[in-house]
Amino acid sequence: MKKKKSILIRVGIVFVFVVTISLAYLFYQDIGSKIEKKIPSSDKRVKRRGTITSAGKKFHPSIREHKIAIIIDDIGYELSPVNEILKINAPITVSILPHCPYSKEAAERAYRAGKEILLHLPMEPREYPDKNPGDKALFLCMSDKEIRHRLEENLKGVPHASGVNNHMGSRFMADEKKLEVVLKVLRDKNLFFIDSYTSRDTKGKKVARKIGLKFAGRDIFIDNKCNYTDTLKIIKKAIGKRDKWHTLIIIGHPYESTIMAIKKAIPMLKAKGIKIVPPSDLTG
């Protein structure tokens, strides 16, 4: 009798233990499912938006298209560089000095080829008279009326110009009042201005914004050393850093080495999806 009672007690204990374990398991399963509903999975939690992860680094692809404008300054002394530039299958812009032997002819050839043309406007540099900006330059000693008259002469010297950039002008570009006289004329003629940034003290952007003139600024000079290898290296460096910029304005000069480097670089730019545009596309 005692044996049977003992067995029943043991069976009862085992039964209670099993029931307790089962209830506990069901309870925690229920809690776990509720937690899962509240906490999204890692795929849902991270909204990637096209982000590519590589080696622990995140790179955000560009939203906008990469665009670059290429301007060749100091055109007007010879026609051979113009002819070579016009052979390039890209919208290279020529910036023409007024009153040079071939200023008007260069402008006519570029216009017929569908290229954008700038007046390369001579302005007083800080180093004047050691550095001479050339014929019909603008000087701070001139009256506002004289400045406007000379600017009109220079615009007539480069037909078909749709914009202007400064030739030298480190001193003139730093004078807000005189610069405003110039830029207001451009605004009224529906032209745009590209600041060559020959001085850190330039007031170009400030005045352009103030009067509502279409404006952009030079980013890189590509041929300070007048060397093919160096010029090409500078352009390649810009291409390599394209994730750091969306638009770029580069300025070179009609050296044989510069034109050769640009010819070499054009397919590289296109291969990287960088669109070559006239500078008017980059003004605002």
Side-chain angles (χ1 to χ4, degrees):
M1 188 72 180
K2 285 183 179 180
K3 242 180 183 180
K4 286 183 181 179
K5 193 173 183 181
S6 176
I7 290 168
L8 287 171
I9 290 169
R10 288 178 185 175
V11 170
I13 291 170
V14 170
F15 178 79
V16 171
F17 178 78
V18 170
V19 171
T20 303
I21 293 298
S22 299
L23 289 172
Y25 175 78
L26 291 171
F27 176 78
Y28 285 111
Q29 280 284 91
D30 184 58
I31 292 296
S33 66
K34 288 179 179 177
I35 291 171
E36 275 191 15
K37 288 178 183 177
K38 289 182 180 179
I39 301 177
S41 67
S42 59
D43 288 339
K44 293 178 182 176
R45 184 170 60 249
V46 180
K47 196 170 184 181
R48 297 189 181 277
R49 296 182 182 176
T51 299
I52 302 165
T53 304
S54 174
K57 295 181 180 179
K58 292 182 179 179
F59 301 94
H60 296 271
S62 171
I63 297 170
R64 292 176 292 170
E65 190 176 30
H66 289 84
K67 294 181 180 180
I68 188 169
I70 303 172
I71 301 171
I72 303 297
D73 279 352
D74 295 353
I75 297 293
Y77 289 105
E78 296 179 85
L79 286 176
S80 54
V82 177
N83 295 333
E84 290 303 313
I85 291 165
L86 298 184
K87 291 177 186 176
I88 300 174
N89 185 25
I92 310 299
T93 296
V94 291
S95 185
I96 304 174
L97 288 163
H99 316 299
C100 292
Y102 300 102
S103 297
K104 290 188 176 181
E105 179 60 25
E108 292 296 343
R109 292 190 184 192
Y111 179 73
R112 289 195 296 268
K115 306 296 184 183
E116 190 157 86
I117 299 160
L118 303 182
L119 162 64
H120 198 32
L121 181 62
M123 292 177 162
E124 181 181 352
R126 294 192 187 281
E127 300 85 354
Y128 183 78
D130 292 333
K131 279 189 177 181
N132 187 353
D135 191 25
K136 306 290 184 182
L138 305 184
F139 292 96
L140 295 180
C141 63
M142 298 168 65
S143 69
D144 292 357
K145 183 178 179 180
E146 287 173 319
I147 288 172
R148 282 190 286 266
H149 176 71
R150 184 158 289 187
L151 176 56
E152 292 284 355
E153 283 186 300
N154 288 331
L155 286 166
K156 288 176 184 176
V158 180
H160 312 297
S162 56
V164 174
N165 75 326
N166 55 296
H167 172 63
M168 299 191 186
S170 52
R171 179 172 286 154
F172 197 100
M173 290 295 298
D175 191 295
E176 189 172 336
K177 288 184 178 180
K178 294 295 184 182
L179 184 59
E180 186 170 335
V181 175
V182 174
L183 298 192
K184 277 184 175 178
V185 173
L186 304 187
R187 179 200 61 191
D188 294 344
K189 290 181 176 293
N190 199 30
L191 302 175
F192 61 86
F193 186 74
I194 304 294
D195 194 334
S196 300
Y197 281 125
T198 55
S199 168
R200 292 182 180 179
D201 300 323
T202 176
K203 300 297 188 298
K205 185 175 183 179
K206 180 181 179 181
V207 175
R209 295 289 179 264
K210 175 183 173 183
I211 67 171
L213 171 71
K214 290 181 180 179
F215 173 92
R218 183 270 309 169
D219 294 293
I220 304 171
F221 280 122
I222 59 172
D223 55 6
N224 288 332
K225 294 184 180 179
C226 308
N227 177 274
Y228 167 80
T229 303
D230 185 69
T231 297
L232 187 58
K233 184 179 177 181
I234 291 169
I235 300 173
K236 283 181 176 180
K237 188 176 180 181
I239 294 172
K241 292 187 174 182
R242 65 190 179 282
D243 289 336
K244 298 183 182 296
W245 56 267
H246 293 292
T247 65
L248 208 63
I249 295 178
I250 65 175
I251 292 181
H253 300 84
Y255 309 132
E256 184 180 356
S257 58
T258 299
I259 295 170
M260 286 174 59
I262 290 172
K263 285 181 179 179
K264 183 74 173 177
I266 295 298
M268 300 178 190
L269 290 163
K270 291 180 178 179
K272 294 297 182 181
I274 299 170
K275 188 176 182 182
I276 305 160
V277 299
S280 58
D281 281 18
L282 305 183
T283 60

